[in-house]
Amino acid sequence: MRGIDREQGCLVIVRPDQHIANVLPLEAHEELAAYFARFMLEAG
């Protein structure tokens, strides 16, 4: 129904307010990093 392969699975980013922020394929490393890069601060 949502285009998710039941055999391969997916990655779901859920915000603390329970909003589904993004649904990505498991190999979408760059998209995942880009999502969090928008608001995460570098440790240091």
Side-chain angles (χ1 to χ4, degrees), residues 23-37:
V23 179
L24 301 166
L26 291 177
E27 61 276 347
H29 304 281
E30 290 180 20
E31 292 92 336
L32 179 63
Y35 175 82
F36 284 104

Side-chain angles (χ1 to χ4, degrees), residues 10-25:
C10 68
L11 174 69
V12 180
I13 302 171
V14 182
R15 297 187 333 199
D17 64 356
Q18 303 303 307
H19 173 81
I20 296 175
N22 209 340
V23 179
L24 301 166

